[in-house]
Amino acid sequence: TIVMNQDKKCEAAVARMSEGLAARGRPFRTVRRFPFELEDREHIRGAELLVIVGGDGTVLSVLSQLETLDKPVVPVNFGTLSFINSVSPEDVLPIIDGYGSGHTGVYTLDERPVLALEVRGARIHAFNEAVFKARELGRLMNLSTRIQGRPLPEFRGDGLMIATATGSTAYNLAAGGPILHPAIEALIYNPICPHALTVKREALAERCGDQEGAPRFDEALTHCTVLGDAVTETLVGQVEEGHEAAGAAGFDHRGPL
């Protein structure tokens, strides 16, 4: 399935991909509507391989439609500044040919860890980050966090972000967090605007984010935001690293990023 963001003016490139796939006799479907309708979501979830044409935001929006992040993705760059999309349109057909024939010499399969979040029994996944913050704008939160039973300093602030290495160049970067190479197995603990001198951002070992390391909040008006959408309200939020969900796979083109 080819998913395209029409705002990126990629119609000509997608047309060339479609012609190449048709000439090879490969069945495919092109999803052009954005945001997606119900029929589009069903095609995306049922696809064996996703070719996503756009920017990083397009990739994240498509991944948010999947129930499990276990599909290979060819991220084609048509964004202004892209950290995820690294494939040029000219390389898409050779990559698909190599994937179909099992010849891995033309692409690199890059598996990225994702966050698995459990909030009051609801389980969701995040590719970049999860943000916990007060529901009311401008209201401070009291936050206390434990990592594998080890308490971190309590603080008052706007919220808390838990980011993956892939997401380190997104909201985490803008919020003063560290940049991590995607191959580093780590999570980023990033307090947002903490009103304290002793609270610092930290890079945590990937396996630190078990239930003992779940952020817990003492504010009743707290919600979790993933991909810009408030997904739930909760009294207590728990974040755990999704090691089993680390099958969020993507193709990374060989060569300079």
Side-chain angles (χ1 to χ4, degrees), residues 121-239:
R123 190 176 180 87
I124 56 177
H125 295 93
F127 192 68
N128 265 11
E129 74 276 315
V131 178
F132 296 86
K133 57 185 178 181
R135 185 173 181 84
E136 296 179 7
L137 182 64
R139 178 175 179 177
L140 292 179
M141 298 174 59
N142 295 319
L143 294 108
S144 60
T145 309
R146 297 192 309 274
I147 303 297
Q148 289 189 331
R150 175 175 64 91
L152 297 179
E154 296 186 12
F155 70 93
R156 289 173 60 81
D158 287 350
L160 175 65
M161 181 190 318
I162 306 295
T164 64
T166 302
S168 67
T169 53
Y171 186 13
N172 168 75
L173 174 62
I179 296 177
L180 300 182
H181 190 280
I184 296 177
E185 295 184 352
L187 301 176
I188 298 172
Y189 167 84
N190 189 347
I192 302 173
C193 297
H195 194 258
L197 297 176
T198 57
V199 177
K200 304 297 182 183
R201 286 104 180 157
E202 296 188 37
L204 308 171
E206 187 179 18
R207 292 178 177 81
C208 282
D210 55 18
Q211 287 188 351
E212 285 299 316
R216 294 179 178 274
F217 313 109
D218 60 4
E219 292 282 352
L221 296 178
T222 303
H223 68 206
C224 172
T225 300
V226 177
L227 291 175
D229 296 323
V231 294
T232 186
E233 296 179 22
T234 180
L235 297 176
V236 177
Q238 295 184 341
V239 177

Side-chain angles (χ1 to χ4, degrees), residues 63 66-71 125:
L63 294 180
L66 304 179
E67 296 177 354
T68 58
L69 297 177
D70 59 355
K71 296 182 184 297
H125 295 93

Side-chain angles (χ1 to χ4, degrees), residues 5-256:
N5 185 344
Q6 290 180 307
D7 293 338
K8 300 300 181 180
K9 300 179 180 180
C10 53
E11 284 279 3
V14 171
R16 289 192 295 270
M17 297 176 200
S18 301
E19 292 172 0
L21 291 173
R24 289 163 169 78
R26 294 186 178 276
F28 69 95
R29 186 180 184 91
T30 302
V31 175
R32 289 182 168 85
R33 290 169 292 200
F34 196 83
F36 309 108
E37 297 182 1
L38 178 60
E39 181 182 2
D40 301 327
R41 294 191 180 98
E42 293 175 352
H43 287 299
I44 290 171
R45 292 171 180 171
E48 178 184 358
L49 175 71
L50 290 172
V51 177
I52 305 177
V53 185
D56 286 359
T58 308
V59 173
L60 296 174
S61 295
V62 174
L63 294 180
S64 70
Q65 307 300 318
L66 304 179
E67 296 177 354
T68 58
L69 297 177
D70 59 355
K71 296 182 184 297
V73 173
V74 181
V76 184
N77 184 21
F78 264 86
T80 54
L81 179 62
S82 181
F83 292 95
I84 298 175
N85 293 30
S86 57
V87 177
S88 63
E90 295 75 18
D91 293 327
V92 171
L93 292 177
I95 289 175
I96 294 177
D97 290 339
Y99 178 76
S101 63
H103 179 56
T104 59
V106 295
Y107 66 86
T108 299
L109 183 61
D110 184 16
E111 293 188 348
R112 303 286 182 92
V114 299
L115 289 172
L117 297 98
E118 184 176 336
V119 185
R120 275 207 156 188
R123 190 176 180 87
I124 56 177
H125 295 93
F127 192 68
N128 265 11
E129 74 276 315
V131 178
F132 296 86
K133 57 185 178 181
R135 185 173 181 84
E136 296 179 7
L137 182 64
R139 178 175 179 177
L140 292 179
M141 298 174 59
N142 295 319
L143 294 108
S144 60
T145 309
R146 297 192 309 274
I147 303 297
Q148 289 189 331
R150 175 175 64 91
L152 297 179
E154 296 186 12
F155 70 93
R156 289 173 60 81
D158 287 350
L160 175 65
M161 181 190 318
I162 306 295
T164 64
T166 302
S168 67
T169 53
Y171 186 13
N172 168 75
L173 174 62
I179 296 177
L180 300 182
H181 190 280
I184 296 177
E185 295 184 352
L187 301 176
I188 298 172
Y189 167 84
N190 189 347
I192 302 173
C193 297
H195 194 258
L197 297 176
T198 57
V199 177
K200 304 297 182 183
R201 286 104 180 157
E202 296 188 37
L204 308 171
E206 187 179 18
R207 292 178 177 81
C208 282
D210 55 18
Q211 287 188 351
E212 285 299 316
R216 294 179 178 274
F217 313 109
D218 60 4
E219 292 282 352
L221 296 178
T222 303
H223 68 206
C224 172
T225 300
V226 177
L227 291 175
D229 296 323
V231 294
T232 186
E233 296 179 22
T234 180
L235 297 176
V236 177
Q238 295 184 341
V239 177
E240 60 182 18
E241 193 281 324
H243 186 67
E244 294 180 355
F251 287 103
D252 193 5
H253 175 60
R254 287 183 182 269

